[in-house]
Amino acid sequence: MENLNKALRDVGEDIVSEIKRLGITRDEFKASGRLEKSISYEVKGNIVEVSALEYIGAISEGISKKKFPNVNRIREWAKDKGLQPRGAKGRLLSRTDANMKSMAFVIARSMADKGISKRFGYQGSGFLEEIKKDVVTNVTDMIAEAYKLDIIVKLKEI
């Protein structure tokens, strides 16, 4: 099953690189780099498990309205992005912890009311679904070819 194992590793590498290419690079969802670093795969038997930080789903699918996002994570994101808090009249405020928390709360409230990203119509970018559609045909062909080669090797051993 050497060919199958190699094909599964190739599939994992392809999926991870596509997620990084489409979701992080093309759609420009990068702040601290933690999400990109978290994307990985593991082959378990005949299964390729791809994992990433939980909020990758929110970026791809968006968040359901009325679901209040985590304010502390938004505050971390805002710090990583270098966002500057503003007062009620639009004046810049200092980046104190209290001001950053207030700004994060306002962002979270807006996300709960409207959705996640204006440039995607306040919905997710849909990159995970796009990857699923693109990868299915390619993966099927790769796995079928690997099985075929492994069967030929086993038949030669008989």
Side-chain angles (χ1 to χ4, degrees), residues 1 4-5 8-9 42-49 147:
M1 298 309 229
L4 177 60
N5 290 334
L8 291 171
R9 287 191 304 274
E42 185 177 352
V43 176
K44 293 182 177 180
N46 291 339
I47 296 172
V48 177
E49 286 187 4
Y147 266 124

Side-chain angles (χ1 to χ4, degrees), residues 40-112:
S40 64
Y41 76 93
E42 185 177 352
V43 176
K44 293 182 177 180
N46 291 339
I47 296 172
V48 177
E49 286 187 4
V50 179
S51 62
L53 290 173
E54 185 179 342
Y55 68 90
I56 195 167
I59 291 171
S60 181
E61 283 92 45
I63 61 170
S64 61
K65 293 180 181 178
K66 305 300 179 217
K67 180 180 178 190
F68 206 80
N70 186 314
V71 174
N72 289 325
R73 288 187 182 158
I74 292 172
R75 186 177 67 209
E76 289 175 25
W77 168 82
K79 283 181 182 178
D80 292 339
K81 284 294 234 184
L83 297 182
Q84 186 73 33
R86 292 180 181 267
K89 295 183 180 183
R91 293 190 184 132
L92 293 176
L93 301 173
S94 61
R95 292 185 62 168
T96 65
D97 197 46
N99 288 341
M100 293 298 287
K101 189 171 184 175
S102 293
M103 179 180 67
F105 179 80
V106 171
I107 292 170
R109 186 176 60 204
S110 176
M111 289 169 69

Side-chain angles (χ1 to χ4, degrees), residues 9-26:
R9 287 191 304 274
D10 290 346
V11 166
E13 289 172 12
D14 288 350
I15 292 171
V16 167
S17 68
E18 279 298 289
I19 291 171
K20 289 179 180 181
R21 184 181 71 78
L22 291 178
I24 308 298
T25 305
R26 183 196 70 185

